[in-house]
Amino acid sequence: MIKLSIEEIIEATQAKLLVKGTRLIEGEVVIDSREVNSGSVFVAFAGEKVNGNAYLLSAAELGASVVVTSESLTDTLLQSLKATGVSVVEAAHDDCEEFMLSLAAYWREQHPNWLVVGVTGSVGKTTTKEMLRCGIGATRKVYATAGNHNNLIGLPLTVFATPEDTEVLVLELGMNHSGEITRLAAVARPTVAVITNVGTSHIGLLGSRENIARAKAEIISGMRSYGELKPTLIQASAGDYTRFIADQFAYPAGVICKTVGFSDDDVMSASDISLDYTGLPTATIHAVSGWSKTMTLSVPGKVVVDDLLLALETVETLGLSLDKAAQEIEKMQATRMRLSILDATCGAKIIDDSYNASPNSTAAALDVLMQMPTTGRRIALIGEIGELGSEEKRLHGYVGAYIAAKNPDLVAFVGTGAAKEMIESARVMGLSEDKIEQFDTVYDALAVLGPVLQRGDVLLAKASRSAQLDIFVKGVTE
């Protein structure tokens, strides 16, 4: 909820005031007119499918205090809006995205009491963010990014929705292009930044992994001290771009750098990692401060231990209780469609990781599949990976080769394009022909594979969101 005058909004965003209304601005900032309540600020994006400017009057009639347009309005519409008492604002350059970012930066500036932790990375940022929400929340009033609100629109919405009494704000920063995290970091102004890793997500848009590393490092541009706490960057020591980011970006900006991992040189490390029969990891965690604890997580796979280390080191950097944080993190459940373990109606186990994919996260998910004990078959349902651009053929080939090396009992590929690259590479690398199935659509996979799942089987569903493998998951579990 924001509480501002119309003059403050205009000054912060350089927007044009078309009508000065009479309503008190004290409510949520929304981009969907159906979410408007009394006191709301409704920002009308002209989307590809829906033009929010068509709903300005309805938003005003629902009680909005301000409506923000991204196109010129007719005199008739302006008069109708004026009659409701709403303030009407035209975004500078008709750019509602920049309007949101500018207003969010202003609102963040009004809350110097918020200690911000920023999380970015190619894989694992959502799990790390959720661990931070749980761990920090054990002793402090915390608010964190919800769902996928980590982009140029979602992050401002998160900032606007942050309760006034929040002590620590955990913000996830996502991106598709170079420069986006710079814009997000200018809003967030984090004191502690976590970069989970540098993978191949969005390599088709950024061109190389070094460019991805540079894009992730943009978070450093917005970092600020919080009292005596200096800007601090936390990374995994095993990352092949960890030193690059530290040397080229963090140290020159005066940012303290810490690493976590599996060696004595790390400030937070893990040893004795094992998995139970459902794939849940147990590990002994050691801090250089002398703290140590054996923890069992409710999120499957060894890979989440990396996220745990990043979260716990953040907690320690903030000076909070590691014991209380660890206790709450152990209770945390997997996010739906992100490595969550579900029961199929037939008794099989489903590893639902269908929300999104990159070559790195697909490999990590395959590791979870192969690590899980089972009395039946290990089945991989693999769909195509998006946003790989000119690297699509090569990287899908690598995924196919990795699948062959892991050698599940059955691999069902979904798709008619890049899926063929995965299949061909898997064959070349020795995956038996009788272990390979190919389906054009997820519906075909559900119709054929769904009925033959058996009790004791473990199936991994992994692909980019566009492959819609969640339809398969719902079909066999509901």
Side-chain angles (χ1 to χ4, degrees):
M1 175 182 291
I2 67 168
K3 301 177 183 179
L4 293 171
S5 67
I6 190 63
E7 289 78 14
E8 287 178 294
I9 292 175
I10 296 300
E11 181 180 357
T13 64
Q14 302 301 303
K16 181 180 180 181
L17 180 61
L18 303 179
V19 174
K20 184 175 180 179
T22 58
R23 296 174 177 175
L24 183 67
I25 304 169
E26 188 173 329
E28 304 296 334
V29 178
V30 300
I31 60 174
D32 186 334
S33 63
R34 295 169 295 184
E35 298 175 0
V36 168
N37 290 305
S38 178
S40 295
V41 175
F42 170 60
V43 184
F45 281 82
E48 294 181 3
K49 296 181 179 179
V50 178
N51 186 347
N53 294 284
Y55 298 91
L56 294 172
L57 185 57
S58 62
E61 292 171 344
L62 287 170
S65 292
V66 182
V67 293
V68 183
T69 178
S70 55
E71 60 185 32
S72 298
L73 305 182
T74 65
D75 290 340
T76 300
L77 178 55
L78 274 174
Q79 290 303 314
S80 297
L81 288 167
K82 185 176 182 178
T84 69
V86 70
S87 293
V88 183
V89 170
E90 183 175 355
H93 310 293
D94 291 334
D95 187 346
C96 281
E97 183 176 89
E98 187 58 36
F99 175 92
M100 294 272 286
L101 289 166
S102 298
L103 187 60
Y106 180 82
W107 187 242
R108 164 71 177 97
E109 189 177 346
Q110 308 312 303
H111 295 84
N113 56 303
W114 292 345
L115 172 54
V116 176
V117 176
V119 183
T120 191
S122 297
V123 180
K125 57 182 176 290
T126 298
T127 301
T128 302
K129 178 259 297 182
E130 286 302 305
M131 287 182 173
L132 287 168
R133 181 182 61 80
C134 293
I136 295 171
T139 53
R140 292 292 185 271
K141 179 72 173 180
V142 66
Y143 190 75
T145 301
N148 61 351
H149 278 194
N150 62 6
N151 58 18
L152 295 171
I153 298 173
L155 186 139
L157 288 173
T158 301
V159 171
F160 295 136
T162 303
E164 292 279 348
D165 62 349
T166 294
E167 295 175 278
V168 183
L169 175 57
V170 181
L171 292 174
E172 183 178 328
L173 285 71
M175 62 92 191
N176 290 320
H177 299 87
S178 175
E180 289 183 355
I181 289 182
T182 296
R183 299 172 74 190
L184 295 175
V187 175
R189 297 197 300 169
T191 298
V192 178
V194 176
I195 299 179
T196 60
N197 50 51
V198 175
T200 52
S201 300
H202 314 304
I203 195 169
L205 300 171
L206 291 167
S208 70
R209 288 189 64 229
E210 180 177 320
N211 286 342
I212 294 172
R214 291 179 180 277
K216 301 302 182 185
E218 290 173 12
I219 194 172
I220 294 165
S221 66
M223 296 184 73
R224 302 289 186 273
S225 295
Y226 182 90
E228 296 183 358
L229 182 58
K230 303 302 181 184
T232 303
L233 173 66
I234 304 172
Q235 300 184 84
S237 59
D240 49 358
Y241 282 92
T242 295
R243 180 61 65 86
F244 171 78
I245 291 173
D247 290 346
Q248 298 294 317
F249 299 93
Y251 288 133
V255 173
I256 297 169
C257 294
K258 298 182 178 181
T259 62
V260 303
F262 305 92
S263 75
D264 294 338
D265 295 330
D266 294 311
V267 293
M268 190 75 66
S269 60
S271 64
D272 303 319
I273 304 172
S274 61
L275 298 179
D276 69 8
Y277 72 97
T278 62
L280 300 182
T282 296
T284 301
I285 311 300
H286 314 271
V288 292
S289 61
W291 180 86
S292 181
K293 182 179 177 61
T294 299
M295 297 178 63
T296 298
L297 300 178
S298 298
V299 182
K302 290 182 179 179
V303 68
V304 297
V305 176
D306 296 330
D307 304 327
L308 172 65
L309 293 172
L310 292 166
L312 288 175
E313 181 51 40
T314 301
V315 169
E316 178 143 88
T317 297
L318 298 181
L320 306 180
S321 169
L322 284 170
D323 283 322
K324 292 180 180 179
Q327 184 178 15
E328 291 303 311
I329 290 173
E330 284 186 300
K331 299 175 185 177
M332 189 188 95
Q333 299 297 311
T335 304
R336 181 65 189 255
M337 295 167 61
R338 295 180 187 267
L339 275 179
S340 56
I341 307 297
L342 307 174
D343 291 316
T345 55
C346 68
K349 293 288 184 183
I350 306 298
I351 307 171
D352 182 10
D353 201 14
S354 57
Y355 184 79
N356 211 340
S358 68
N360 305 71
S361 66
T362 301
L366 285 162
D367 289 344
V368 174
L369 172 66
M370 301 311 294
Q371 290 160 1
M372 283 188 64
T374 179
T375 59
R377 299 167 295 175
R378 291 187 176 90
I379 303 170
L381 179 65
I382 306 294
E384 296 173 343
I385 301 169
E387 297 185 352
L388 297 181
S390 62
E391 296 290 308
E392 179 181 82
K393 182 176 180 179
R394 181 174 66 90
L395 292 176
H396 276 95
Y398 285 163
V399 171
Y402 195 82
I403 291 170
K406 289 297 175 179
N407 196 25
D409 296 299
L410 177 64
V411 186
F413 296 93
V414 179
T416 58
K420 296 178 181 178
E421 303 298 336
M422 290 189 285
I423 294 170
E424 183 60 27
S425 292
R427 284 173 175 153
V428 169
M429 297 306 295
L431 186 64
S432 175
E433 189 67 39
D434 60 8
K435 292 186 175 184
I436 298 174
E437 295 287 346
Q438 188 269 327
F439 301 102
D440 290 351
T441 71
V442 66
Y443 297 101
D444 297 330
L446 179 60
V448 176
L449 189 55
V452 300
L453 284 178
Q454 302 173 7
R455 181 176 298 276
D457 290 343
V458 179
L459 180 142
L460 165 69
K462 180 66 175 176
S464 286
R465 190 73 180 88
S466 56
Q468 298 183 297
L469 294 195
D470 58 304
I471 292 172
F472 181 94
V473 174
K474 292 177 181 177
V476 299
T477 59
E478 297 179 355

